[in-house]
Amino acid sequence: QVQLVESGGGLVQAGGSLRLSCAASGYPFSNYPMGWFRQAPGKEREFVAAIGWRGGSTYYADSVKGRFTISRDNAKNTVYLQMNSLKPEDTAVYYCAAAHFSGSSHSDDYENWGQGTQVTVSS
């Protein structure tokens, strides 16, 4: 059974940091690129970051570039999202998913979505 479980969300003040984790099981994690998306209340799900299957290629939305870092540990079947200099507009539920190919920012190119973890940034 394929499963992705996000963790690490919470409430943080603007300017603070959080590190999200996404633990995968039930499929060959190291064979798949991974991505993070987020969805704020009343808004569509949007791309945040993606990483190639080896971790050598990373991609970011312009809104998070320079503040967020995606990484992965294939030995632990886990992908991470380090979020620094957080802003109130980063408030959303954050989801991880496995990609069909590397570098896509379109949610249709992803599958096996996790349940999400809430990130709230107060001003």
Side-chain angles (χ1 to χ4, degrees), residues 43-110:
K43 295 187 177 181
E44 293 187 354
R45 188 171 297 186
E46 65 172 358
F47 170 77
V48 175
I51 188 167
W53 62 279
R54 286 185 175 180
S57 300
T58 56
Y59 311 86
Y60 297 94
D62 288 343
S63 59
V64 307
K65 202 170 293 182
R67 300 187 298 121
F68 291 11
T69 302
I70 188 171
S71 62
R72 67 189 296 161
D73 185 338
N74 286 345
K76 295 183 178 180
N77 286 0
T78 302
V79 61
Y80 304 97
L81 186 68
Q82 177 68 43
M83 306 186 295
N84 298 330
S85 302
L86 282 161
K87 305 175 181 180
E89 50 264 45
D90 294 319
T91 295
V93 177
Y94 283 71
Y95 300 89
C96 67
H100 298 158
F101 56 89
S102 184
S104 175
S105 62
H106 301 287
S107 60
D108 287 347
D109 294 327
Y110 289 77

